[in-house]
Amino acid sequence: MSDNTESLHALYPFLHGQKKEPVQQNAALLDSIQQKAEHSRAEKKRFFAKNGAALLAAATSLAKLYQQQHRLYSMGNGGSSCDAAHFAVEFQHPVTAGRPALPAHNLSADNAMMTAVGNDVGMAQIFSRQLEAYGQAGDGLVGFSTSGNSENLLKAYQKAKQIGMVTLGFTGGDGGEMRRSGLLDHCLVVESDSIHRVQEIHLTCYHILWDLTHTLLADQRGNLGNKT
């Protein structure tokens, strides 16, 4: 019996006609924690070894749009909407002293707007309709999707390109339609089938992206100002 099979037996003894043995079960659970942590570290190492230049290119685009007095919009569904919210607040409310607040708006935040659009014309339009109202040429749009196939994100990217916005996406797996569409200026793909690993790396990515953007803006700080 392999070590992996023994661990599975300990975790799910009822599948094998056995009762749980607390000591053995705890040992298996502790081993599972270490395996998941190691898997997360390995996936991060693999991603950043391959995508460092792409992340820097994305940060350069964000710094440029802020230098030109534009703003960012973020979007996502479900757990990815939480990443969209987190991404926006990092720029709005910097936690590092001396770094300015930068305009970033989470398109997933307005429940009244999203439910109105969803009810009247369909959920596929909940982000693109907001861009019609707010988006301007030179602004940026950032989307999160673990599959890369979210229809409402793709509709928003189409609208963003029509407006003349900079487009950035975080996705997983093979990148899905976000990667294949040609609508994204920057598409960062975590090539993993684990949604958890994808989301963990997305989180690390936008923390790094935030830091890089501010570093690139350092010489321009005195000239930055938010749009009203």
Side-chain angles (χ1 to χ4, degrees):
M1 183 182 294
S2 68
D3 291 341
N4 188 51
T5 301
E6 288 180 353
S7 295
L8 289 175
H9 280 199
L11 288 171
Y12 309 108
F14 54 87
L15 296 178
H16 309 281
Q18 302 170 3
K19 292 183 179 181
K20 291 184 178 180
E21 203 286 314
V23 174
Q24 187 178 9
Q25 182 188 27
N26 285 345
L29 289 170
L30 288 170
D31 183 61
S32 178
I33 290 170
Q34 294 305 314
Q35 289 182 30
K36 288 176 172 59
E38 178 56 35
H39 185 215
S40 182
R41 288 191 291 268
E43 288 293 298
K44 285 178 180 177
K45 183 176 181 180
R46 183 165 69 97
F47 174 85
F48 288 108
K50 182 177 181 179
N51 293 282
L55 196 59
L56 177 56
T60 301
S61 289
L62 297 190
K64 181 177 179 180
L65 72 86
Y66 278 128
Q67 287 171 350
Q68 297 175 346
Q69 306 300 307
H70 293 292
R71 65 179 62 223
L72 273 177
Y73 298 92
S74 60
M75 59 181 178
N77 298 286
S80 292
S81 74
C82 298
D83 281 311
H86 190 167
F87 178 91
V89 79
E90 290 289 345
F91 284 87
Q92 293 174 30
H93 179 59
V95 296
T96 301
R99 290 188 166 181
L102 298 171
H105 178 71
N106 171 25
L107 297 176
S108 306
D110 191 338
N111 290 334
M113 178 65 180
M114 290 194 298
T115 53
V117 174
N119 183 64
D120 294 342
V121 296
M123 293 298 292
Q125 309 297 330
I126 59 173
F127 301 128
S128 60
R129 185 58 60 90
Q130 294 182 72
L131 291 179
E132 288 182 25
Y134 300 123
Q136 298 183 22
D139 287 345
L141 177 64
V142 180
F144 295 86
S145 171
T146 56
S147 69
N149 295 320
S150 299
E151 184 181 9
N152 49 21
L153 267 66
L154 292 165
K155 292 289 187 183
Y157 283 127
Q158 291 172 2
K159 178 60 65 176
K161 296 307 288 185
Q162 292 171 10
I163 294 170
M165 299 173 68
V166 176
T167 51
L168 167 62
F170 293 88
T171 184
D174 66 357
E177 290 303 315
M178 282 170 56
R179 176 184 244 176
R180 293 188 287 269
S181 68
L183 295 169
L184 278 71
D185 298 312
H186 307 278
C187 189
L188 294 162
V189 182
V190 180
E191 296 174 340
S192 172
D193 294 329
S194 168
I195 292 174
H196 293 154
R197 301 297 88 80
V198 171
Q199 291 176 326
E200 289 161 7
I201 294 173
H202 285 176
L203 172 61
T204 305
C205 272
Y206 59 77
H207 279 166
I208 292 173
L209 187 63
W210 172 86
D211 186 71
L212 290 174
T213 300
H214 276 284
T215 298
L216 291 166
L217 286 171
D219 292 338
Q220 299 290 328
R221 286 178 185 170
N223 298 322
L224 285 174
N226 292 351
K227 291 165 57 178
T228 58

